[in-house]
Amino acid sequence: MPPSTTVQPARATVAFPGTTALRTLAALRILLGAVLLWAFMAGLLLVGLALVLGVALRAAAVGGTALMVLMWLSALPIKSNPAVDEHIIYAAAMIAVAAAGAGRSWGLGPQWEQVLRRAPQPLRTVLT
């Protein structure tokens, strides 16, 4: 009679090497990575909405430029010309849109300014 072969079920656990403290740190790293990913994507969404609607263009340009520079830095070393990278071009375009005040003529800028008239002064300064 041939020997019987038994199949062991695969274990569904992830093995973290080391002590409980290392396991806790590894779990926190996974959690923090997920939170930061969601925050980054929410930031991109808010910058995109502000630019499309033409509201809070200065804040959107500053935040969008910071996000673009961070994405540019994450791609280093760049194999092509680093000054003509798409992230640098997008950052310059955001600054140009905000500097030109494009929201006043092509967006909801006039309505946004009416909303900001009722806002406190520090908020008006940031979101103008």
Side-chain angles (χ1 to χ4, degrees):
M1 184 173 243
S4 66
T5 57
T6 59
V7 177
Q8 296 292 330
R11 294 188 178 219
T13 59
V14 177
F16 291 114
T19 63
T20 306
L22 287 177
R23 291 180 187 166
T24 304
L25 286 175
L28 283 174
R29 182 177 178 216
I30 292 170
L31 178 65
L32 183 62
V35 168
L36 288 177
L37 178 66
W38 276 96
F40 183 75
M41 291 300 180
L44 286 176
L45 176 69
L46 290 175
V47 166
L49 283 175
L51 289 171
V52 166
L53 295 176
V55 297
L57 287 180
R58 287 185 202 161
V62 170
T65 299
L67 290 173
M68 288 296 142
V69 168
L70 288 174
M71 285 193 288
W72 178 78
L73 286 173
S74 72
L76 289 178
I78 297 174
K79 293 170 182 54
S80 63
N81 187 351
V84 189
D85 186 61
E86 62 198 41
H87 301 102
I88 302 300
I89 301 297
Y90 292 153
M94 283 185 256
I95 292 170
V97 165
R104 288 189 197 102
S105 57
W106 294 340
L108 300 175
Q111 292 86 352
W112 180 249
E113 289 173 0
Q114 288 176 0
V115 169
L116 285 181
R117 284 190 188 122
R118 294 186 298 264
Q121 180 59 37
L123 192 60
R124 251 186 297 184
T125 303
V126 172
L127 296 177
T128 300

